Amino acid sequence: MKIVLSGIRPTGHLHLGNYFGAVRNFVKLQDEYKCFYFIADYHSLTTHPKPEHLQENIRTVLSEYLACGLDPDKATIYIQSDVEEVAELYLLMNMNAYVGELERTTTFKEKVRKQPNNVNAGLLTYAVLMASDILIHHADYVPVGKDQEQHLEMTRRFARRFNNIYDVDYFKEPQPFNFFGKDLVKVPGLDGSGKMGKSEGNAINLTDEPEVIRKKVMKAVTDAGPKEPNSPMSEPIQNLFSILELVSTPDTVEHFRDEYNKATIRYVDLKRQLAEDIIKFTQPFREKYQQIYNDLDYLRKVRKMGKEKAKESASKTVKEVREIIGFKDF
Ligand code: TYM
C-alpha cells in the first residue's frame, strides 16, 4: 500500500490556507492509503516559541486535525518530538546536505528577511528536518500546499544523494500530491498579494467566530472597481475570487464573475457573500473543535496511539540507516 505523510507546524490555529492546501487532502487520503500525519513541533522551534505557547499550540492543532475529520483509527497521527528517531535521522542526513544549497532555499531566504535577528542553524537546515520526517516513513506522496514544493524537491535530492553515496536503493523519492487537482494549491491572503499565512497576519482561521470572519473579510483589500466591461482583474480581486471558489457554490462564483465582467459589481456585496459562505463552511468545524479540545483524556489517548505506531516505523528506518552508514556491532 502506498504511504502518505504530511505535517503542520503548531504556530496557532489552522487557517483556510492550511485547510485547502493540506488538511482536506489528509482527510480524503486516509481511507485509501497508509497515512502519517504529524505536528511539526521541532520545526516550530526555529522561531523560539515560549514553552507554554508551544504546548498550547500542539493541543490546538491536534484538536483541529481531529475536528477536521482525521481519524486515529485510520491514520497515524503523532507529535514530531514524540518520535526522537526523527532527530537522529536529521543528524545523519545533515552530513550529506550542503550549506550552499540550503542557503539558496526560498523559504530560508524569506526567513532571513523576516527574522534577521534570529537566523539560527535550524532555519538553515529546515529542509533536512523535513526530508527526515518524510523519509523516515518512506512516504510515496506528500500532500502539501504550493509553498512546500521546493522542500519536496530537496527531499528527493537528499534521498537520491544518500542512495548514491552508499550505493543502495534505499530511500524512495516522494512526490507532492493534491487529491483535488493537478497543481498544488496556494490560498491567497486578504491583504491583496501573497499567500495566506499565520505570520503574514492575513489569515482566516477555521475557529474564527462569525463576527471576526465578517470583520476580516470586509477589511480585505480591493481596487477602485472595473471601469468598463471585461476589464482585466487586479490581484486583490482575483484573490477574493480564488477564496470564493473554495467556499461558495459554482453559481455564486459565476454570478459575481458576470457582475464583474459587466462592470456592475459592488465589492461590498462580493465581500458579504464571501464572509457568509466562509462562516457556513467553517461552522461544523468550530463546533467540533471546542468539544475535542476540552477532552484531554481523548487527546492523550490519540497522542499515545500515534506515538507508538510512528515509533515502530521510524525506529526500523533508523536501524537500517545506521547499518547502511556503517554503525554496526563488532
Ligand atoms: P506549514 O505549517 O507552514 O503549513 C502547513 C501546510 O499548510 C499549507 N499551507 C498552504 N497551502 C496553500 N495556501 C496557503 N496559503 C497555505 N499556507 C500553508 C502548507 O503548504 C503545508 O502543507 N514545513 C511544513 C511542515 C512540515 C512538513 C513536513 C510537511 C514539516 N515536515 C513533512 C510535509 C512533510 C510547514 O512549515 O508547513
Side-chain angles (χ1 to χ4, degrees):
M1 193 190 259
K2 295 279 189 199
I3 297 171
V4 168
L5 172 140
S6 199
I8 294 189
R9 274 171 307 134
T11 51
H13 289 284
L14 298 188
H15 52 71
L16 292 179
N18 297 135
Y19 183 78
F20 288 107
V23 182
R24 72 173 168 162
N25 278 293
F26 297 4
V27 177
K28 211 68 197 171
L29 295 168
Q30 64 183 347
D31 290 320
E32 285 176 46
Y33 296 93
K34 182 169 181 186
C35 294
F36 293 89
Y37 299 130
F38 68 99
I39 296 175
D41 56 349
Y42 280 148
H43 275 106
S44 66
L45 296 184
T46 51
T47 55
H48 295 176
K50 290 201 163 50
E52 61 274 21
H53 291 164
L54 185 60
Q55 194 193 27
E56 172 62 21
N57 285 339
I58 292 169
R59 180 172 168 188
T60 298
V61 175
L62 182 57
S63 307
E64 295 186 337
Y65 267 178
L66 297 164
C68 284
L70 289 198
D71 181 345
D73 289 321
K74 292 180 186 163
T76 299
I77 304 170
Y78 65 99
I79 321 288
Q80 187 185 31
S81 66
D82 279 347
V83 182
E84 299 91 340
E85 288 82 356
V86 171
E88 182 169 355
L89 186 60
Y90 166 58
L91 178 144
L92 300 172
M93 297 303 284
N94 263 320
M95 307 304 167
N96 307 336
Y98 297 109
V99 172
E101 65 188 338
L102 297 174
E103 279 172 340
R104 283 193 298 276
T105 316
T106 314
T107 45
F108 175 68
K109 289 195 275 192
E110 241 169 57
K111 287 285 178 189
V112 171
R113 241 184 305 118
K114 272 196 200 151
Q115 49 182 74
N117 298 321
N118 180 18
V119 184
N120 55 69
L123 277 181
L124 183 68
T125 56
Y126 189 103
V128 185
L129 180 54
M130 184 154 159
S132 306
D133 291 325
I134 298 170
L135 298 176
I136 207 161
H137 297 299
H138 301 285
D140 296 282
Y141 300 123
V142 186
V144 282
K146 185 97 186 137
D147 57 326
Q148 299 297 317
E149 211 167 23
Q150 191 183 27
H151 286 154
L152 275 190
E153 224 175 271
M154 295 176 78
T155 302
R156 288 194 292 278
R157 195 188 314 150
F158 295 146
R160 266 197 309 275
R161 192 176 291 156
F162 180 92
N163 290 346
N164 283 338
I165 290 176
Y166 296 105
D167 197 17
V168 288
D169 188 13
Y170 184 68
F171 283 129
K172 302 189 225 188
E173 292 187 34
Q175 301 301 324
F177 194 72
N178 175 21
F179 180 87
F180 295 88
K182 253 193 3 263
D183 296 327
L184 297 186
V185 173
K186 175 185 153 190
V187 179
L190 295 168
D191 50 355
S193 67
K195 66 163 184 167
M196 181 176 285
K198 177 88 190 147
S199 56
E200 284 77 5
N202 61 7
I204 295 184
N205 298 332
L206 296 178
T207 45
D208 278 347
E209 292 296 330
E211 258 331 291
V212 175
I213 295 176
R214 283 191 194 103
K215 262 202 200 117
K216 285 183 178 175
V217 175
M218 295 319 280
K219 275 205 311 216
V221 173
T222 52
D223 59 21
K227 300 250 178 320
E228 50 191 21
N230 301 316
S231 302
M233 216 183 252
S234 68
E235 193 182 350
I237 306 304
Q238 279 180 34
N239 289 351
L240 291 183
F241 272 100
S242 297
I243 304 176
L244 193 72
E245 271 167 9
L246 294 169
V247 295
S248 301
T249 62
D251 285 355
T252 306
V253 179
E254 172 119 5
H255 164 74
F256 283 101
R257 276 204 194 282
D258 270 1
E259 291 288 306
Y260 185 88
N261 288 331
K262 288 188 291 184
T264 49
I265 192 164
R266 290 186 349 145
Y267 290 146
V268 65
D269 297 334
L270 171 65
K271 285 178 168 182
R272 278 203 190 112
Q273 180 77 43
L274 179 60
E276 292 318 306
D277 286 345
I278 294 175
I279 291 166
K280 204 166 5 145
F281 183 82
T282 49
Q283 184 191 347
F285 170 82
R286 253 190 314 277
E287 286 166 4
K288 264 203 214 137
Y289 166 74
Q290 246 342 303
Q291 180 203 339
I292 295 173
Y293 179 87
N294 291 329
D295 193 348
L296 260 183
D297 281 345
Y298 177 60
L299 291 175
R300 285 195 191 105
K301 200 175 116 200
V302 170
R303 180 173 185 167
K304 182 161 174 278
M305 239 169 96
K307 174 177 174 171
E308 280 166 12
K309 282 198 277 180
K311 271 182 95 75
E312 199 183 307
S313 152
S315 55
K316 181 169 179 290
T317 304
V318 169
K319 183 169 174 285
E320 289 167 354
V321 168
R322 289 179 68 104
E323 277 171 18
I324 292 170
I325 286 179
F327 290 139
K328 290 184 195 170
D329 218 343
F330 295 119

